[in-house]
Amino acid sequence: QVKLVESGGGSVQSGGSLRLSCAASRYVPCMAWFRQAPGKEREGVATRYIGSNPTFAHSVKGRFSVSRDNAQETLYLQMDDLQPEDTAIYYCAARSTYSQFLCDRRQVDDYEYWGQGTQVTVSS
């Protein structure tokens, strides 16, 4: 079992920045961020598979960055130039198996472990 705990959500104005953190209870090779806006399906935002470059959804590319700490147990999501359409609950997710393909395709059903979510609200 892996427990994931997110922090760092909040409210900002358009163009602002936030940094989310996700602490895992143990090492996992694949960690990712998803988000779910009201009335919409959960979508993958960014992934970080161990030893590989991160991947991003097209909608956030160039504005968001993702990193892991040295122990590879904390995942960060730096969100810059936030827009109202980024408003959502952001979820950390993880996979315990070694598959970069399944990690990076950002499909909800591929992920075993989920955090409780943190709200991000961007006002115009």
Side-chain angles (χ1 to χ4, degrees):
Q1 280 290 333
V2 179
K3 183 178 180 181
L4 303 172
V5 179
E6 302 106 332
S7 60
S11 298
V12 294
Q13 291 191 327
S14 180
S17 298
L18 282 173
R19 189 191 195 205
L20 306 183
S21 299
C22 171
S25 58
R26 65 170 176 87
Y27 168 81
V28 285
C30 168
M31 296 183 76
W33 288 98
F34 287 73
R35 67 184 181 186
Q36 188 165 18
K40 294 188 176 181
E41 293 187 353
R42 193 171 298 188
E43 63 171 354
V45 174
T47 67
R48 187 63 191 266
Y49 185 81
I50 189 68
S52 300
N53 292 326
T55 70
F56 298 94
H58 179 75
S59 58
V60 305
K61 200 171 291 185
R63 301 186 298 121
F64 290 13
S65 60
V66 65
S67 61
R68 296 178 70 162
D69 70 342
N70 288 338
Q72 304 294 329
E73 293 178 358
T74 301
L75 181 71
Y76 302 99
L77 182 67
Q78 177 66 40
M79 304 184 292
D80 298 320
D81 191 24
L82 282 160
Q83 301 300 316
E85 52 266 34
D86 295 316
T87 294
I89 299 174
Y90 283 70
Y91 296 91
C92 179
R95 285 182 48 85
S96 60
T97 52
Y98 287 81
S99 171
Q100 183 177 353
F101 170 72
L102 294 179
C103 183
D104 289 347
R105 71 178 186 174
R106 297 191 299 273
Q107 294 296 310
V108 171
D109 291 345
D110 289 337
Y111 282 78
E112 307 157 74
Y113 305 107
W114 293 87
Q116 80 285 355
T118 185
Q119 178 70 46
V120 171
T121 303
V122 185
S123 58
S124 57

